[in-house]
Amino acid sequence: MTTARTSAATPAEAQEAEATGHYITASLAGKDVETVPGGAWRQSTMRKLRVGDIDGFMEDVLSPDSYETYLELDPTNDEVGEFANAAGEASGEQMGKSGGPSASSRRTRRK
């Protein structure tokens, strides 16, 4: 598996990276690990994260060697969250909470 270390990737590059096995580097609990760029994370992988299957999520997004490092590190939830945000930022994505839809500036007329 070929590994490319980059500090930022466009969404298209992130998808290509996942398909070809390229990774970016992100920090997890103070250690550098290789991860699929955030923009290429599958929705099934994101569902694992949302339901709390952190091991399954990390197995999907980390290189095999980095997954072993993750298991050895046994990071806290805060450290996993910081990793997800760092990986997202490194790939040009913001993985934090969405601001949601903004309120309309137009008022609706009451009946």
Side-chain angles (χ1 to χ4, degrees):
M1 193 175 281
T2 307
T3 303
R5 294 178 189 265
T6 60
S7 60
T10 67
E13 290 170 333
Q15 288 175 339
E16 181 182 344
E18 181 192 34
T20 59
H22 286 64
Y23 298 98
I24 61 170
T25 301
S27 180
L28 173 63
K31 287 270 212 178
D32 283 346
V33 293
E34 294 177 326
T35 180
V36 173
W41 293 351
R42 300 255 177 224
Q43 290 305 302
S44 57
T45 298
M46 296 305 293
R47 281 191 294 276
K48 289 177 184 178
L49 182 61
R50 284 191 294 274
V51 300
D53 181 3
I54 304 302
D55 289 342
F57 167 78
M58 296 300 265
E59 187 172 21
D60 286 357
V61 302
L62 294 176
S63 71
D65 288 341
S66 291
Y67 181 70
E68 291 299 320
T69 299
Y70 155 76
L71 292 175
E72 292 169 9
L73 289 172
D74 193 21
T76 65
N77 285 335
D78 287 343
E79 291 168 330
V80 170
E82 290 168 5
F83 159 77
N85 285 328
E89 289 172 9
S91 63
E93 304 279 328
Q94 179 58 41
M95 304 313 272
K97 292 182 179 179
S98 168
S102 61
S104 172
S105 61
R106 295 178 54 186
R107 296 205 177 255
T108 55
R109 190 170 75 170
R110 296 180 188 225
K111 294 183 180 184

